[in-house]
Amino acid sequence: MISESELLRLMSDLESDRVERTVATNDSTKFREAICAFSNDFPNHRQPGYLLIGVEDRSGKACGLRATDGLLRNLAGLRQDGEILPQPAMTVGRIALSDGSGEVVVVEVHPCDIPPVRYRGRIYLRV
């Protein structure tokens, strides 16, 4: 999992093919599509992709999220619910920002060794 300083760098940088920021906590379709795309690693970065939940898309600022254990369990469950195949290599964690602006849920997705990874039979890529 990344450190708080790395998280702050990702939050302040532009959204890219390795970073998705959102304030939504229940958009499982969006989450699965991002996880699938990060697993496919089409640009061949050979580095993890990050889904950052609790970060405003336009400003890159934390939205004051308080991440519950239920949210973390639901996100971790996306890995093995059978909708994304083959199963992605991913970790889910939360980082409480030291400035008190809230927590950020970080879903770290590693590139798949045997792509393509599909969500509901479709291949998703980020460019």
Side-chain angles (χ1 to χ4, degrees), residues 101-117:
S101 60
E103 297 175 331
V104 176
V105 176
V106 178
V107 180
E108 182 178 65
V109 183
H110 296 275
C112 182
D113 292 334
I114 50 170
V117 176

Side-chain angles (χ1 to χ4, degrees), residues 3-113:
S3 67
E4 183 179 357
S5 61
E6 291 173 286
L7 172 62
L8 292 172
R9 185 184 56 76
L10 291 174
M11 288 170 59
S12 65
D13 200 4
L14 296 174
E15 204 170 66
S16 69
D17 58 344
R18 289 190 51 230
V19 178
E20 172 72 25
R21 301 184 299 217
T22 184
V23 295
T25 58
N26 58 358
D27 192 349
S28 61
T29 299
K30 179 180 184 174
F31 301 158
R32 285 183 178 104
E33 289 172 359
I35 290 167
C36 183
F38 294 147
S39 293
N40 284 320
D41 189 27
F42 180 70
N44 201 27
H45 292 299
R46 298 184 180 165
Q47 296 178 345
Y50 296 96
L51 173 59
L52 307 177
I53 300 169
V55 179
E56 294 178 13
D57 186 28
R58 293 182 190 259
S59 68
K61 304 287 183 196
C63 70
L65 175 72
R66 298 291 175 226
T68 64
D69 289 338
L71 173 60
L72 297 174
R73 276 194 308 273
N74 289 343
L75 289 166
L78 297 178
R79 177 184 184 277
Q80 58 199 16
D81 67 1
E83 300 230 20
I84 303 172
L85 294 172
Q87 288 184 351
M90 59 183 254
T91 57
V92 177
R94 77 177 131 208
I95 297 176
L97 299 175
S98 57
D99 65 1
S101 60
E103 297 175 331
V104 176
V105 176
V106 178
V107 180
E108 182 178 65
V109 183
H110 296 275
C112 182
D113 292 334

